[in-house]
Amino acid sequence: MNWKRSAFAVIAAVPVIALLANGMGKDPSQIPSPLPGREAPNFELALLDPAVLGRPASSGAAASGSEIPTVRLQDLKGQVVVLNFFASWCLACRDEHQPLTQTAAAYEGRGVKFFGVAYNDKPADSRRWIAQMGGQSYPALMDPGSRTAIEYGLYGVPETFFIGKDGKVAFKQIGPVNAELLTQKLDSLLAMPDPAAPIAAP
Amino acid sequence: MRLAAAAALLFASASIAQSQAQPDAGPDALRAAPANAADSAIERQVHRLAGELRCPVCQGLSIAASPTELSLQMKGVIREQLRAGRSPDQVKDYFVEKYGEWILLEPKASGFNLAVYLLPALVLLLGLVFVIVMLRRWTAASTDETAEPLDDRVHVPDLR
């Protein structure tokens, strides 16, 4: 009689313990994003500093008339895009700035485009911060009203999105990136064939 | 929810009072009146939806209850989409698409989530059955086996 009771207690406790173990093994601050695997939301954002673009204007920057040049994601199909949301008030962004700007420079001309997107930041503050950090090898974009941030399901900075040649979000990094992660993700994304362009020259 | 609705009503009445306080505005004010009514209806919907969505940068707060910049911007997105003629459900789906179901403060009653809704009732029912069974046993024991409690009474004074 007694062993039956204890067996029942054990059987009843197992699902409860399993549920708790499952729940406590998760980090509640890591919100699972539904975006990876889906089409990256399109955006058209103005450059924080048009002069930063530096290199040839063919790099996705559509200078429409005399307006401030903007960058549209749909113009970058066939390239790997790294979208880094940052802010001048974000401490962790300072840690990842060096690896980002160095990796962006290292992959220059290899079909990878890096963009910073200022999140809830004043343009003047973003500019000053980039200057303080010793410049940036890739352009920064402004996101007034955080519309693009919300489109990407952002809940904090830094967050970095890796968009493949097919225009789909391949990976989302919550928190700062490092050089190792950047090269690993970029190499695997560059190794993938471009579905949009058959053997035609660009 | 009720608080949000009350706030919306208060806001609506305040804006009506404001428009009434300027009788010299002329025909423009008259033309603006129906737009105001539509605005306050949308504003009510914005507050209702904002109360159902979780603020991504807070701990367990809705975007209606949160004063953060992102929450205000998300409310702006809700407002824009409602004005563009989207239904409240479509607006909710937009945020679910971007943030996942996590964004909903109240989980959808389907799939595994059903456990959240059914388990409490089930446990309550089991508890009720348990109490009834135990009560029956105890009452049966006290009427049938009177010897045991009597035995206790004999032993207790012995110990002292």
Side-chain angles (χ1 to χ4, degrees), chain A residues 5 19 31-35 38 41 119-120 145-147 149-156, chain B residues 56-57 69-70 73-74 76-77 80-81 94-102 112 119 137:
Chain A
R5 263 195 196 180
L19 194 71
I31 304 165
S33 171
L35 246 73
R38 285 205 208 153
Y119 167 73
N120 274 334
S146 296
R147 291 303 184 268
I150 294 170
E151 277 276 293
Y152 276 81
L154 198 84
Y155 71 91
Chain B
V57 291
E69 217 162 336
L70 184 62
Q73 288 161 343
M74 285 169 83
V77 170
E80 275 167 26
Q81 295 199 356
Y94 168 81
F95 283 100
V96 170
E97 195 189 305
K98 301 304 178 190
Y99 284 92
E101 250 181 59
W102 172 90
F112 181 71
L119 269 183
R137 260 194 209 175

Side-chain angles (χ1 to χ4, degrees), chain A residues 178-192:
Chain A
N178 54 44
E180 212 177 359
L181 179 109
L182 283 169
T183 48
Q184 183 213 324
K185 294 288 169 197
L186 285 179
D187 288 343
S188 77
L189 283 174
L190 283 171
M192 278 192 225

Side-chain angles (χ1 to χ4, degrees), chain B residues 119-143:
Chain B
L119 269 183
L122 196 74
V123 169
L124 203 69
L125 206 73
L126 280 177
L128 210 67
V129 169
F130 177 78
V131 166
I132 288 169
V133 167
M134 286 321 270
L135 275 179
R136 277 201 178 164
R137 260 194 209 175
W138 287 338
T139 48
S142 61
T143 49

Side-chain angles (χ1 to χ4, degrees), chain B residues 64-112:
Chain B
S66 145
T68 61
E69 217 162 336
L70 184 62
S71 292
L72 294 176
Q73 288 161 343
M74 285 169 83
K75 266 197 260 183
V77 170
I78 299 175
R79 193 173 293 123
E80 275 167 26
Q81 295 199 356
L82 287 174
R83 284 209 181 125
R86 284 200 176 195
S87 74
D89 277 344
Q90 281 173 321
V91 176
K92 238 199 266 184
D93 286 345
Y94 168 81
F95 283 100
V96 170
E97 195 189 305
K98 301 304 178 190
Y99 284 92
E101 250 181 59
W102 172 90
I103 199 85
L104 300 176
L105 278 172
E106 200 171 288
K108 278 182 188 162
S110 65
F112 181 71

